[in-house]
C-alpha cells in the first residue's frame, strides 16, 4: 500500500518536473517567449448566456466542491436538470479548468480539468473560478498544471481578500498573473505526456485499491 501511494506521489511530481523542463517555473520566462497576463491566455469565468446549448430540460453535470480532488480529479456523475442549477451556481463546459478560490480548498490544491460532463456542460460551486482555454492558443492541461504549482497557489494565497475563514482569490489575480505562453504545439505535447502519465496512475491506483481491499479483509479475518 505504501509503495503504491509513493508511486502515485512520484507520478504527480513527474508531471510538474516535465512542465518545468518544457516551460520553466510559473511566472518566469526562462525560454524567452515573453511574459503576458494569464487573462489574455484564457477566458476567465465565461458567461452562460453565450452558450446556445443551454435550454430548458437539458441534463447537465453538477459538481459541488467535494467532487473535485486535490490531485486534479473530478466526479461529474451527479446529473441535474439545467432548470435546477441555472441560477446560483457556476457554469462551465468540457475542458474548462476549475480553480477553487476559497480557503482552505485553494491552498489544498483543489482544481481539475472538467472532463466527462453530461452533454459537455457542468454547473457547480460558486467557489470555483473557471479558466476556459482559447482555441489554438492554450491547452487545458497546461492551464491546470500551471495553477496547480505550490508557488502559484502561494501567490494566490498572498492576494486573497475577505475575512478569516471566508478569504477568496479575486478574479483579478488570475487575470493579471504574468505567465510565459508556450507555442500551442508544445502545450499539446505536454498534454499527451499528462495523458500517458494518467494511464499509469490509473493502473497504480487499481493496484492500490486491491491491496487496501486485501488488507481490510485480512484485518477482518484475524481481528473481527
Amino acid at each position: 500500500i505504501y509503495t503504491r501511494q509513493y508511486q502515485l506521489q512520484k507520478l504527480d511530481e513527474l508531471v510538474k518536473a516535465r512542465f518545468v523542463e518544457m516551460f520553466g517555473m510559473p511566472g518566469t520566462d526562462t525560454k524567452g517567449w515573453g511574459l503576458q497576463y494569464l487573462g489574455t491566455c484564457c477566458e476567465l469565468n465565461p458567461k452562460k448566456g453565450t452558450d446556445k446549448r443551454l435550454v430548458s430540460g437539458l441534463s447537465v453535470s453538477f459538481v459541488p466542491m467535494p467532487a473535485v480532488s486535490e490531485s486534479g480529479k473530478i466526479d461529474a456523475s451527479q446529473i441535474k436538470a439545467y432548470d435546477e442549477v441555472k441560477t446560483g451556481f457556476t457554469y462551465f463546459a468540457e475542458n474548462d479548468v476549475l480553480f477553487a478560490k476559497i480557503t482552505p480548498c485553494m491552498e489544498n490544491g483543489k482544481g481539475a480539468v472538467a472532463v466527462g460532463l453530461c452533454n459537455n456542460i457542468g454547473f457547480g460551486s460558486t467557489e470555483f473560478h473557471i479558466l476556459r482555454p482559447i482555441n489554438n492558443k492554450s491547452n487545458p492541461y497546461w492551464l491546470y498544471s500551471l495553477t496547480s504549482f505550490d508557488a502559484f497557489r502561494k501567490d494566490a494565497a498572498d492576494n486573497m481578500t475577505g475575512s478569516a475563514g471566508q478569504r477568496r482569490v479575486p478574479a483579478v489575480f488570475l487575470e493579471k498573473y504574468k505567465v510565459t505562453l508556450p507555442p500551442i504545439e508544445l502545450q499539446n505535447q505536454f498534454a499527451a505526456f499528462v495523458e500517458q502519465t494518467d494511464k499509469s496512475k490509473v493502473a497504480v491506483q487499481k493496484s492500490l485499491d486491491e491491496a487496501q481491499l486485501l488488507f481490510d479483509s485480512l484485518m477482518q479475518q484475524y481481528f473481527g
Side-chain angles (χ1 to χ4, degrees):
I1 288 171
Y2 288 135
T3 299
R4 295 293 178 258
Q5 290 172 336
Y6 180 76
Q7 286 177 320
L8 286 175
Q9 176 190 335
K10 288 301 176 184
L11 285 168
D12 285 335
E13 292 174 6
L14 179 63
V15 169
K16 285 188 168 65
R18 183 64 171 150
F19 183 100
V20 172
E21 179 185 23
M22 293 183 71
F23 313 125
M25 283 294 292
T28 67
D29 183 29
T30 56
K31 305 294 184 179
W33 291 314
L35 290 170
Q36 57 185 286
Y37 291 133
L38 181 56
T40 66
C41 304
C42 62
E43 183 182 356
L44 287 170
N45 299 319
K47 305 299 183 186
K48 66 176 183 289
T50 61
D51 196 327
K52 304 303 182 185
R53 299 170 296 175
L54 297 174
V55 294
S56 180
L58 181 73
S59 294
V60 299
S61 287
F62 181 70
V63 183
M65 186 64 75
V68 174
S69 77
E70 289 85 18
S71 57
K73 301 303 178 189
I74 181 172
D75 179 2
S77 61
Q78 189 175 346
I79 309 299
K80 292 197 174 186
Y82 168 59
D83 303 88
E84 292 181 69
V85 296
K86 64 182 180 180
T87 57
F89 296 101
T90 298
Y91 152 79
F92 50 92
E94 190 82 3
N95 288 321
D96 285 352
V97 175
L98 279 61
F99 177 84
K101 62 184 177 182
I102 193 168
T103 191
C105 299
M106 192 284 294
E107 295 93 327
N108 291 342
K110 274 186 178 273
V113 178
V115 292
L117 303 179
C118 179
N119 289 316
N120 294 325
I121 296 172
F123 282 80
S125 169
T126 57
E127 302 298 352
F128 289 125
H129 281 311
I130 306 302
L131 294 81
R132 174 166 292 174
I134 297 173
N135 195 33
N136 292 322
K137 189 171 188 179
S138 50
N139 184 290
Y141 292 94
W142 173 77
L143 283 170
Y144 166 70
S145 295
L146 169 76
T147 62
S148 69
F149 271 83
D150 290 342
F152 184 93
R153 298 266 169 171
K154 184 181 183 302
D155 287 344
D158 290 342
N159 285 273
M160 279 180 153
T161 59
S163 57
Q166 291 294 313
R167 290 171 58 76
R168 294 175 175 86
V169 178
V172 69
F173 166 77
L174 297 175
E175 182 182 350
K176 298 297 185 183
Y177 189 86
K178 287 191 173 180
V179 299
T180 180
L181 181 65
I184 189 63
E185 293 81 10
L186 286 183
Q187 293 183 50
N188 292 340
Q189 286 179 29
F190 173 74
F193 177 82
V194 172
E195 182 181 4
Q196 291 302 315
T197 306
D198 281 347
K199 289 179 181 178
S200 297
K201 287 170 69 174
V202 168
V204 173
Q205 185 65 55
K206 181 181 178 182
S207 179
L208 172 60
D209 293 343
E210 291 171 350
Q212 186 67 56
L213 185 63
L214 177 59
F215 177 82
D216 294 343
S217 176
L218 290 172
M219 287 290 287
Q220 181 70 25
Q221 178 182 335
Y222 284 105
F223 305 113

